[in-house]
Amino acid sequence: MVQFIKTVARHVIILAMPVFGFSQSTFLPEGSQYEHFLDRLGILLQNNPDLNVNTPRPLSRKTAVGVAELADSLDKFYPYDDYYHLSKTDRATLQSLLMNNSEWVSGSKAGFQSRHPVWNTFYKTKANFLEVNEKDFFLAVNPVIQQQQSYETGNHEHVYLNSKGLSLRGLIANHLGFSTYITDNQERGPSFFQDRVFASGFPAVPGAGYFKPFKKTAFDYFDARGSINVDFWKYFNVQFGYDKNFIGDGYRSLFLSDYSAPYLFLKFNTRIWKLNYQDIFMELISQHQRGDYQFPKKYAVVHHLSVNATKWLNIGLYDNVVFSRADYFDFSYLNPVIFLVAAQQENGSPDKTTVGLDFKANIGHATQLYGQLLINEFVLHEVVHYSNGWWGNKQGLQLGIKYIDAFNVKNLDFQFEGNLVRPYTYSHNDTVSNYSHYNQPLGHPLGSNFVEFIGIARYQPVYKWNIELKCIYYRQGLDSGGVNYGGNIFLDYTTRPADYGVSLPNGVPANCVNTSAWVSYQWKENLFLEGSIMYRSYTKHDIVTTKNSSTTFTLGLRLNMFRRIYDY
């Protein structure tokens, strides 16, 4: 009888929580420390409908809190059930997540208060510098700081990052959310980062927009983001913002990544039954040279449908179009349910379109398999005769696996991922409609024409300490002698040298190994002291083989900000 009552209670909890998790609030910021924790919860719970269906990121704060409170309830109700039992470290992380998203917490908030607030005004709660939490109004204001000092072998210049700024978020009547984030940054990255800024012929600081030179070889730029969002009815949410988005469950995304600069977008999200459907309408900046003038604009539309096919399996359908018109916006792409490939064909096929499939499968409460298939062009005869190397076989593939609490060691997690993208996949037959923004890829950071393998080990022995070991290896085909071999997405693919014999990688091969070890200690809430070592070796096999390698040692301090990573 007791077991029956527990079983009924468990199902009531599982079924009831999503009802209160449909509407959305402001969203978790890029690089949130809770992303990996929520990944762990998704695998541990296995059949949570909200985590399984939310392939697009960022995740709303309300959904994150709802899932965390569910996990907390199950952990307390089943303290000896390995499927729902949280480690001591996970419980501490869960409490931190609730504390940092307190506007949506339904239970007690007693532990969120600071023992010694400053002037009884600032840091009244542990999570926020200034917090207002009244009926129908919530506001949180925080300083944003990141200071990194590095030494790179073989580099006589000082390597550093200096970021400082402000973030705030608010909520009005639990329906209208708003957020803003701005930092002023001065950065001189490792030597390969410096080279990357000018590598494509169109200058760009990775992840940033407009920039100016600083002390000759460094860069000065603002990172400004903001959005407002509102939910209407209980199934729909609209967000209008200037920020980044990400679609996928991997370390990389072939569909839409957060590598490029922020952009203006209007996003509609529908969450109903077993479905999550998202439409993103984006205004982008075409490739351009640096200077003070009106940069050229282009537009993109992204659709992604995510379906919980079973309690543990999610599958998704993706399509997008990138286009530019000299004198008008093409309203035919505003239809939220039309297939974009068909719409652009009706326009005469002038634009860049891709489609894709993705999946995520949680197995045994410890493992997750995931993947993406990206298709830019598909001709069955040429795919069947793949060995002919037809240039129009423009596809990408991602496969990955996550394994949590590896070998029964709590909070020891592994992730392995492979990515490949055929030559010319993100290019177009003009130099405008390629899949890019602000001189940077919107998909994978390497663009096209590569094979990549990633291995990551994460260990959190206690709540305040994080350790990460990461190894990235890729092989990419490069252009040589002015010949377009398909790796530079900004080049017109009609300049290709041949229609057949296009291999992967195509052109001059280059190998890169990027390994790193990172240790972080959370001294105070959201204040991290960090140290890392990164070794990178890059070999280009041209007429003369060249090899560059270096080791970078970094110490840093970070407050309320994502970690700056050089992972390419």
Side-chain angles (χ1 to χ4, degrees), residues 256-312:
L256 179 62
S257 77
D258 54 12
Y259 171 75
S260 73
Y263 44 82
L264 184 70
F265 68 89
L266 178 64
K267 180 165 63 178
F268 296 87
N269 199 89
T270 304
R271 171 74 170 93
I272 187 171
W273 188 51
K274 299 179 180 181
L275 307 176
N276 191 84
Y277 185 53
Q278 191 169 101
D279 308 279
I280 309 176
F281 303 91
M282 301 183 285
E283 182 181 74
L284 308 173
I285 303 296
S286 297
Q287 57 261 44
H288 58 277
Q289 296 299 327
R290 192 174 62 83
D292 295 329
Y293 63 97
Q294 179 65 55
F295 295 149
K297 301 289 180 65
K298 61 181 179 181
Y299 304 92
V301 180
V302 171
H303 296 163
H304 185 267
L305 173 65
S306 183
V307 182
N308 284 336
T310 69
K311 291 182 178 181
W312 52 270

Side-chain angles (χ1 to χ4, degrees), residues 321-396:
V321 62
V322 182
F323 63 97
S324 179
R325 302 290 186 266
D327 54 355
Y328 67 96
F329 181 92
D330 199 322
F331 290 97
S332 63
Y333 295 133
L334 289 182
N335 189 329
V337 295
I338 196 170
F339 283 101
L340 294 170
V341 174
Q344 76 96 25
Q345 286 179 344
E346 291 298 321
N347 287 331
S349 294
D351 305 314
K352 176 72 174 179
T353 58
T354 54
V355 298
L357 300 169
D358 63 286
F359 79 94
K360 171 173 56 180
N362 295 323
I363 302 171
H365 300 274
T367 306
Q368 181 183 97
L369 303 177
Y370 62 89
Q372 295 180 333
L373 173 64
L374 180 73
I375 302 173
N376 178 229
E377 196 158 345
F378 185 87
V379 177
L380 181 59
H381 171 77
E382 299 293 354
V383 172
V384 171
H385 298 88
Y386 185 83
S387 60
N388 291 339
W390 183 50
W391 79 276
N393 280 335
K394 294 177 288 181
Q395 298 99 26

Side-chain angles (χ1 to χ4, degrees), residues 498-554:
D499 286 348
Y500 288 91
V502 178
S503 58
L504 179 63
N506 188 43
V508 175
N511 300 333
C512 180
V513 177
N514 187 321
T515 61
S516 62
W518 168 74
V519 178
S520 173
Y521 174 70
Q522 188 172 185
W523 183 28
K524 298 290 185 180
E525 193 69 24
N526 300 317
L527 176 60
F528 300 89
L529 305 179
E530 302 173 324
S532 66
I533 301 173
M534 176 179 61
Y535 171 77
R536 185 179 188 269
S537 176
Y538 187 85
T539 306
K540 181 179 178 180
H541 302 280
D542 209 340
I543 298 174
V544 177
T545 298
T546 58
K547 182 176 181 178
N548 297 302
S549 61
S550 66
T551 303
T552 304
F553 303 87
T554 301

Side-chain angles (χ1 to χ4, degrees), residues 37-48 51-52 67 362 368:
F37 171 68
L38 291 167
D39 260 357
R40 283 180 51 83
L41 283 188
I43 298 170
L44 186 68
L45 298 177
Q46 184 172 319
N47 58 7
N48 180 269
L51 287 181
N52 289 355
V67 170
N362 295 323
Q368 181 183 97

Side-chain angles (χ1 to χ4, degrees), residues 146-153 155 157-162 187-192 514-521 528-535 550-558 563-566:
Q146 185 164 196
Q147 296 289 330
Q148 287 187 179
Q149 301 296 324
S150 304
Y151 167 73
E152 182 186 18
T153 60
N155 187 351
E157 294 187 307
H158 181 205
V159 177
Y160 63 89
L161 172 65
N162 171 26
E187 180 177 24
R188 183 187 288 122
S191 54
F192 65 90
N514 187 321
T515 61
S516 62
W518 168 74
V519 178
S520 173
Y521 174 70
F528 300 89
L529 305 179
E530 302 173 324
S532 66
I533 301 173
M534 176 179 61
Y535 171 77
S550 66
T551 303
T552 304
F553 303 87
T554 301
L555 293 176
L557 176 148
R558 180 166 54 93
R563 182 161 58 105
R564 185 65 155 152
I565 303 173
Y566 307 102

Side-chain angles (χ1 to χ4, degrees), residues 118-136:
V118 178
W119 300 332
N120 202 32
T121 301
F122 304 113
Y123 284 114
K124 295 177 70 173
T125 63
K126 299 174 185 178
N128 297 310
F129 174 75
L130 176 64
E131 180 177 315
V132 178
N133 198 346
E134 303 289 346
K135 186 179 185 302
D136 290 336

